[in-house]
Amino acid sequence: MSTSDPRAALARLAEEQGASLSALSRMLGRNVAYLQQYVRRGSPRRLEDADVRRLAAYFGVEEGVLGGASAPSQWRVPRLDLAASAGPGTLVDGELLLGSDRIDPDLARRLGLQRERAAMLRVRGDSMAPTLLDGDQILIDLARTAPDARGGIFVIRVDDALMVKRVRAAGQGLSVASDNPAAPPVPAGAVTVIGRVVWQMRALV
């Protein structure tokens, strides 16, 4: 949705999703009349940044739509409801959209990402240690599904198991390996390449 009036945008989003302004005000920890006064009377003149962030996340829109500082060019990538396993593999029934995360558009351009061709996953297991550790968030380029002879780190499926491995082209097929020499062997099976890992995020402890 595109509009230059954040009040009109909020009113329209609330109507489309069947959310009352008073209920949304309570969600923000505000007086029940807070958003009604904002939309109908223009008071306050501008929502606080924290309120804009929560409302934008609730409706799944850019903060700029609701008068926030984020630029319309800010990228969002899907955050999937599964854990890419760096260990033996995680059986999954399919990727379910859990939400979305922002990435800086300059970073996206540096990484050569295309819009709507990226996703984020959380690593489980230690078979790719020390390169990737349990709990790391990884950014996946879904457009890069053809490993070359030099290889790289890819999210793959082996039959129904989703995992992160080092993959390279070898002869007529693919060579799949773990970085951790103590990891168990990669299970045999048909390999489907989901995308290449191009960025890693790790919490400092």
Side-chain angles (χ1 to χ4, degrees), residues 25-170:
S25 297
R26 287 194 296 270
M27 179 188 75
L28 298 175
R30 301 283 188 171
N31 181 286
V32 292
Y34 174 63
L35 291 178
Q36 290 177 347
Q37 292 175 347
Y38 168 72
V39 168
R40 296 169 186 168
R41 300 181 184 177
S43 177
R45 292 182 60 187
R46 182 181 179 278
L47 296 178
E48 292 188 9
D49 290 343
D51 293 339
V52 171
R53 281 194 295 271
R54 290 196 65 184
L55 289 168
Y58 176 84
F59 289 118
V61 299
E62 295 290 345
E63 291 175 24
V65 172
L66 297 174
S70 63
S73 61
Q74 186 111 38
W75 281 42
R76 282 181 178 270
V77 296
R79 177 164 39 90
L80 303 179
D81 188 16
L82 53 82
S85 175
T90 301
L91 296 180
V92 294
D93 295 323
E95 293 85 359
L96 300 176
L97 184 64
L98 183 66
S100 62
D101 288 305
R102 290 188 185 85
I103 60 171
D104 184 86
D106 289 335
L107 173 62
R109 284 189 288 269
R110 279 170 44 208
L111 297 174
L113 292 173
Q114 304 171 31
R115 282 189 180 274
E116 300 181 0
R117 298 296 292 154
M120 294 188 73
L121 298 174
R122 184 183 297 276
V123 172
R124 280 207 310 223
D126 62 359
S127 75
M128 287 299 291
T131 311
L132 296 175
L133 301 181
D134 184 68
D136 282 358
Q137 293 275 6
I138 53 177
L139 181 61
I140 314 303
D141 185 346
L142 301 176
R144 300 172 69 179
T145 58
D148 57 22
R150 293 178 301 173
I153 300 176
F154 288 82
V155 175
I156 63 172
R157 268 202 186 86
V158 178
D159 293 332
D160 289 329
L162 190 78
M163 58 187 68
V164 185
K165 296 296 175 188
R166 193 168 294 277
V167 184
R168 63 179 180 84

